[in-house]
Amino acid sequence: FTKRYSFFYKFKGFIGEGHFASVRTAYKKREYSSHKLFAVKSIPLKNLNEKERNDLIREVDIISHLEHPYIIKFYETFHDKFYFHIITELCRGNNLNKRLKKNGRRMKEEHARIIIMKLLHAINYCHSFGVVHRDLKPDNIVFESPNNEDEEEEEQENNNFNIKIIDFGLSALINKKEKLHTILGTPYYMAPEVLKG
């Protein structure tokens, strides 16, 4: 936490931004390679209250202990007096929501089955450690590789859709006897039981 981001990484491109953070690509200054880019989520500290800062520390604590092929890989964090940076692996594909939109909201059943199986493996892994994501939705499921025609055809032949779960900002660590009652998540994707408390 004490090391400055700019000493080690340099931003290269812009990926997007949400309500609380922006995401860009970056490379390590001493190990530059066009094939080794990272995703950097930058959160302005001035906009965070004490609870939100604690939530951010909790998120980093949770993702730093998760290592699974279908969960985004965490590398390290940096912060200064202006920003908190979270460095993770870079997934070059769109999220599931964008891919579905591109394909006219359709997907072959066999491909949906592969994605669901991988999601269930990742969720089971999280739950085995007491981690609950609490914001699973198509926007938080990203593909490792872009969806160009050649790669899509190759993926279909191999039945291999490489996905990663991202954004553990609302996740929680609980014990097996604990029950969650907080109404939390993206309303459109929340189960009725959650909305009822």
Side-chain angles (χ1 to χ4, degrees), residues 66-84:
L66 298 177
E67 192 166 337
H68 190 276
Y70 311 136
I71 295 174
I72 197 77
K73 184 173 177 55
F74 165 83
Y75 288 107
E76 55 188 333
T77 60
F78 294 92
H79 79 82
D80 51 35
K81 58 184 177 179
F82 301 110
Y83 287 94
F84 190 93

Side-chain angles (χ1 to χ4, degrees), residues 22 27-28 30-31 37 42 102 123 134 142 159 170 175 184 197:
S22 61
Y27 61 85
K28 282 190 175 180
R30 296 186 182 187
E31 303 172 22
L37 291 174
S42 302
K102 185 178 178 182
I123 294 165
R134 300 201 293 185
V142 297
N159 279 351
L170 297 180
N175 61 54
L184 194 66

Side-chain angles (χ1 to χ4, degrees), residues 38-194:
F38 301 86
V40 181
K41 180 179 178 180
S42 302
I43 303 102
L45 292 174
K46 68 176 183 178
N47 299 334
L48 302 181
N49 58 38
E50 187 176 346
K51 181 191 176 301
E52 290 167 335
R53 287 179 185 232
N54 290 334
D55 290 345
L56 185 58
I57 291 168
R58 187 196 68 240
E59 176 187 358
V60 170
D61 185 50
I62 287 173
I63 64 171
S64 66
H65 288 90
L66 298 177
E67 192 166 337
H68 190 276
Y70 311 136
I71 295 174
I72 197 77
K73 184 173 177 55
F74 165 83
Y75 288 107
E76 55 188 333
T77 60
F78 294 92
H79 79 82
D80 51 35
K81 58 184 177 179
F82 301 110
Y83 287 94
F84 190 93
H85 303 286
I86 302 173
I87 291 91
T88 65
E89 71 177 308
L90 173 65
C91 292
R92 296 177 182 274
N94 282 327
N95 63 45
L96 179 57
N97 195 28
K98 287 181 180 176
R99 188 171 284 198
L100 285 170
K101 279 183 182 177
K102 185 178 178 182
N103 295 334
R105 291 282 178 203
R106 293 171 185 244
M107 178 178 283
K108 289 184 179 179
E109 186 175 341
E110 63 201 78
H111 301 152
R113 178 182 57 81
I114 295 163
I115 291 171
I116 293 296
M117 278 183 59
K118 291 186 175 186
L119 280 175
L120 292 174
H121 277 289
I123 294 165
N124 184 60
Y125 170 84
C126 288
H127 290 183
S128 71
F129 287 98
V131 173
V132 187
H133 188 282
R134 300 201 293 185
D135 198 23
L136 282 172
K137 57 184 178 181
D139 305 78
N140 288 338
I141 299 162
V142 297
F143 291 85
E144 278 190 282
S145 58
N147 187 23
N148 65 43
E149 290 181 9
D150 294 336
E151 289 188 8
E152 185 181 6
E153 188 174 324
E154 184 180 325
E155 282 184 341
Q156 289 175 4
E157 285 178 7
N158 297 332
N159 279 351
N160 184 20
F161 289 77
N162 291 323
I163 60 158
K164 302 275 183 175
I165 296 176
I166 62 168
D167 197 351
F168 282 74
L170 297 180
S171 60
L173 189 61
I174 62 168
N175 61 54
K176 291 182 180 180
K177 294 180 180 178
E178 191 177 353
K179 289 189 177 181
L180 297 173
H181 298 282
T182 309
I183 299 174
L184 194 66
T186 305
Y188 188 78
Y189 298 101
M190 288 164 66
E193 295 86 346
V194 176

